[in-house]
Amino acid sequence: MVTATTAELLERSLAGDRLAFERLFRPLYDDGFRLAVAMLSDAALAEDAVQDALLNAWRKLHTFREGASVRPWFLTIVANQCRSVRRGRWFSVSRVADVEIPMADPATADRLDLEAALRRLPQQARLLLVLRYYLDMSFEEIAGVVGGSPSAVKSSTHRALVRLRRECGQEVEES
Amino acid sequence: MEKRSFDEVELRGAFRATFDRAQPRSDAADRAFEAVAAAGAREGMLGRRLMGAVAVALAILLIVVLQIQRGALTVPRPTTPAGQVPTAPVAPRATPSTAAGGPVNRPYPEMVVADGGQVALAGWSRTGQVALSQDGGATWTKTRPAAGTELSILDLQWVDDDTAYVSTTDGLYRFQRSTGGWAKLSSRSDLVRIDMRGPLTGFAVTGAGQVLETADGGQTMATRSVGISPVTWIQWVSASNLWAAGPQGVVASADGGATWSRQLTFPTDARNGAIGTAQVGFRDESNGFALFDVAGAAAGSRVYAVYHTSDGGATWTAESCSCGPVAVPDWLARNARPGLPAAPHGALLVTGATQAMLVTNDTAAGITSLCATDDSGGTWTCRPVPFALTSGALVVRGRTLMLAATAASGPLLSVSMDGGDTWTTRTI
């Protein structure tokens, strides 16, 4: 079986081949959804954001730099779409927890703590933590999403982590 | 309380435990790629490449023009934004339109607006009541501007998650959530729609349909002409892009309101001398709806049209009618009032690129329905809400819906967290 390379799929996508585009981006759908759901805390909104991000990716494919990695490029578009959704006035109603969770379970308490603490962080800090600790991206890859150097991203991520721990009411352990 | 310290491994586990519960629907990816295929078929790759090249060329031209002008002028003159057809530019700060002398815009009976995750503000025009929620709609507290003063609420807007602007018949007020305090910014009593871009700059529309602009948080306001008059609606979509609508059509600006161009003209034969209302709502800079609603020629009839664009207004497609004085959609037949509720302050609540909702009231049957479209307005699905309202306003996020309404018993707030299946209602 002949497997088309990323470069070939990109070239075919640019020529208008939507199946090539789908083969290129479908493996990234789940990552896009996970990022969106962590940024928006809402599965329905996250689905919408990823769909819009895919549309934007299709429209902006000509801006993709040859040799760059597709994953951070796509996740950048997803992150921007999430920012746009959060800004949108027409959507501005609150999110409320989907289900009642008994508080006795320590794991549940952690989950609620983390979710609440993340909500209090600035968007950029939340994005850094999600990319690093949820999508398990390297600092080099994260820099490809948020811009800046990997070392600057590492510092910013550390500051975001310190702030998250503070928001969780924890002792801050400098490392 | 025991202090827990997430190390990096625990943090990864906590993220997974927190967010892995949310899964996309099984067909979500298929639907997303189908949407891309549909968009691709419409636009064509050549067109996209051409549009990209034109946009880049215009952007370069814009930069060159600005650089040239910077040498000669202190303030750069507004330029026609890339991607828009330059129609006759509107001179900033034109004299007020004298054509718009009547009461074109009236306040909606109820308004509800929210910001971020937790805060929401609802208002009832007639009673002057305002209710604040800081916990996502679970609990509400009453407040009011200028306690002891008789006033009506005209419009509400959050400018950040602590500060809301509230327009009343007693003037324009600022509400601070953190202090619970109210401050009067201006004595203007005719700002029926307010749409601030931030705490200082923004636009308002008067009851007479004039557009006003402020750069000092509403303390002083200057009249603007946008190329149509009267105006019934204005909406910021991004830092520089905004749209306005009126019975004549839809206009847009891509330079923060300095210049405007006509994008859509509503059918002239539908007006029959009556002044209709129009609304424009954008999900983002590309996808938007326009709604036109006016009394028809026959007594008791209405002309009602929904348009959709997916290219920032360059082209608009009429969706729900043939856009003459024709029958309204079936679900709006009889005495339904398409202008009834919805939105932060409008009839149509845009919830996605091709999705929108509205609440409509069949006064003859006494049924209030929640209607939604997911195909740009071509088809609508409606279902009754389990209580009768005389009017209401709706906001939506995900599957959470909040309805500020008035029923026979008086003002009420109703919240659904399951997309409208079940509602919790409380009187105000």
Side-chain angles (χ1 to χ4, degrees):
Chain A
M1 185 177 127
V2 177
T3 305
T5 65
T6 299
E8 286 166 349
L9 290 173
L10 266 172
E11 189 175 340
R12 283 165 48 192
S13 300
L14 272 168
D17 183 343
R18 290 189 295 278
L19 290 177
F21 177 84
E22 186 171 342
R23 281 183 62 190
L24 194 57
F25 284 91
R26 189 175 272 268
L28 300 176
Y29 183 91
D30 282 350
D31 275 354
F33 178 81
R34 292 166 74 204
L35 171 59
V37 88
M39 293 292 288
L40 300 170
S41 299
D42 186 296
L45 285 181
E47 280 183 14
D48 286 349
V50 179
Q51 177 170 323
D52 289 346
L54 282 166
L55 273 166
N56 284 336
W58 170 251
R59 289 176 175 138
K60 293 178 177 174
L61 207 54
H62 61 277
T63 68
F64 183 80
R65 284 184 295 107
E66 196 174 337
S69 174
V70 177
R71 185 177 182 236
W73 184 77
F74 175 62
L75 293 180
T76 304
I77 296 175
V78 175
N80 287 338
Q81 190 60 42
C82 292
R83 291 190 186 102
S84 171
V85 170
R86 288 173 65 87
R87 275 197 304 264
R89 287 185 52 205
W90 293 69
F91 270 94
S92 53
V93 165
S94 57
R95 177 197 173 270
V96 182
D98 297 324
V99 287
E100 289 288 330
I101 306 282
M103 292 299 292
D105 177 1
T108 299
D110 284 353
R111 179 179 70 72
L112 296 178
D113 279 353
L114 179 70
E115 202 167 357
L118 275 173
R119 267 205 298 268
R120 291 193 291 268
L121 294 188
Q123 278 192 23
Q124 187 71 0
R126 173 193 271 232
L127 176 62
L128 288 168
L129 294 173
V130 170
L131 294 175
R132 177 67 179 165
Y133 297 110
Y134 189 38
L135 298 187
D136 296 326
M137 292 174 75
S138 69
F139 291 120
E140 287 75 15
E141 287 178 304
I142 297 173
V145 175
V146 302
S149 67
S151 60
V153 165
K154 186 176 181 180
S155 302
S156 304
T157 306
H158 177 70
R159 284 196 297 275
L161 185 56
V162 169
R163 184 159 177 185
L164 179 75
R165 285 174 169 153
R166 194 174 289 138
E167 291 290 348
C168 286
Q170 299 173 353
E171 302 288 357
V172 177
E173 295 170 3
E174 297 292 343
S175 58
Chain B
M1 183 180 123
E2 182 190 359
K3 290 196 183 288
R4 297 180 54 82
S5 177
F6 289 124
D7 65 21
E8 294 200 356
V9 173
E10 285 176 329
L11 193 58
R12 286 189 164 87
F15 265 104
R16 283 194 292 275
T18 301
F19 297 114
D20 276 357
R21 293 175 308 132
Q23 294 292 327
R25 287 169 296 177
S26 58
D27 63 345
D30 292 339
R31 290 162 62 105
F33 284 102
E34 280 167 16
V36 172
R42 279 199 304 270
E43 296 163 8
M45 180 57 65
L46 183 63
R48 289 193 291 115
R49 281 181 161 168
L50 201 59
M51 279 166 54
V54 169
V56 169
L58 285 173
I60 292 170
L61 183 64
L62 184 66
I63 291 166
V64 170
V65 169
L66 285 173
Q67 291 295 333
I68 292 170
Q69 288 182 338
R70 197 160 287 152
L73 300 170
T74 308
V75 180
R77 288 167 53 202
T79 55
T80 303
Q84 283 199 13
V85 179
T87 57
V90 176
R93 306 196 189 286
T95 52
S97 165
T98 53
V104 177
N105 294 315
R106 293 184 176 85
Y108 287 93
E110 304 83 16
M111 297 136 267
V112 55
V113 292
D115 188 87
Q118 299 295 308
V119 298
L121 205 59
W124 285 262
S125 178
R126 191 175 56 79
T127 63
Q129 280 182 314
V130 176
L132 168 72
S133 175
Q134 304 188 74
D135 56 7
T139 60
W140 295 82
T141 53
K142 290 187 212 174
T143 177
R144 59 186 305 143
T149 304
E150 286 279 324
L151 54 78
S152 297
I153 305 293
L154 301 177
D155 202 6
L156 314 166
Q157 185 193 355
W158 289 101
V159 292
D160 57 44
D161 68 359
D162 188 48
T163 311
Y165 278 29
V166 178
S167 176
T168 78
T169 51
D170 184 58
L172 179 65
Y173 284 82
R174 182 178 60 217
F175 172 70
Q176 296 291 146
R177 181 171 65 93
S178 53
T179 64
W182 292 86
K184 191 170 184 177
L185 302 171
S186 146
S187 57
R188 281 211 72 132
S189 58
D190 60 345
L191 307 179
V192 176
R193 316 260 185 274
I194 50 175
D195 197 7
M196 300 294 290
R197 185 175 59 172
L200 294 177
T201 59
F203 286 88
V205 178
T206 68
Q210 290 180 335
V211 174
L212 305 176
E213 183 175 8
T214 181
D216 58 9
Q219 294 179 59
T220 59
M221 308 200 87
T223 308
R224 283 276 200 170
S225 174
V226 300
I228 55 172
S229 180
V231 167
T232 58
W233 199 267
I234 198 159
Q235 185 203 1
W236 287 99
V237 176
S238 64
S240 55
N241 289 69
L242 64 162
W243 273 262
Q248 294 169 337
V250 172
V251 292
S253 172
D255 54 12
T259 60
W260 295 80
S261 57
R262 178 77 71 95
Q263 286 194 332
L264 175 64
T265 298
F266 290 130
T268 53
D269 61 346
R271 277 184 240 144
N272 303 307
I275 294 177
T277 58
Q279 181 197 338
V280 61
F282 273 72
R283 158 75 186 274
D284 50 44
E285 292 180 8
S286 300
N287 297 286
F289 286 80
L291 178 137
F292 176 62
D293 171 26
V294 67
S301 69
R302 299 196 74 78
V303 174
Y304 178 76
V306 173
Y307 299 78
H308 184 262
T309 181
S310 56
D311 56 11
T315 55
W316 288 86
T317 306
E319 299 284 354
S320 287
C321 78
S322 60
C323 302
V326 296
V328 297
D330 290 345
W331 54 271
L332 285 175
R334 293 183 289 182
N335 295 320
R337 293 169 52 206
L340 178 69
H345 30 213
L348 190 70
L349 179 65
V350 179
T351 54
T354 59
Q355 290 93 36
M357 298 177 78
L358 56 74
V359 184
T360 185
N361 216 21
D362 185 335
T363 50
I367 296 173
T368 301
S369 298
L370 192 62
C371 302
T373 178
D374 61 3
D375 62 356
S376 307
T379 56
W380 294 80
T381 305
C382 298
R383 58 175 167 170
V385 293
F387 34 82
L389 304 174
T390 55
S391 56
L394 176 74
V395 280
V396 175
R397 178 165 175 161
R399 293 181 61 74
T400 301
L401 292 79
M402 303 170 82
L403 186 66
T406 302
S409 57
L412 59 85
L413 266 163
S414 200
V415 178
S416 171
M417 295 175 191
D418 53 13
D421 290 340
T422 58
W423 295 83
T424 303
T425 302
R426 54 182 66 75
T427 55
I428 296 295

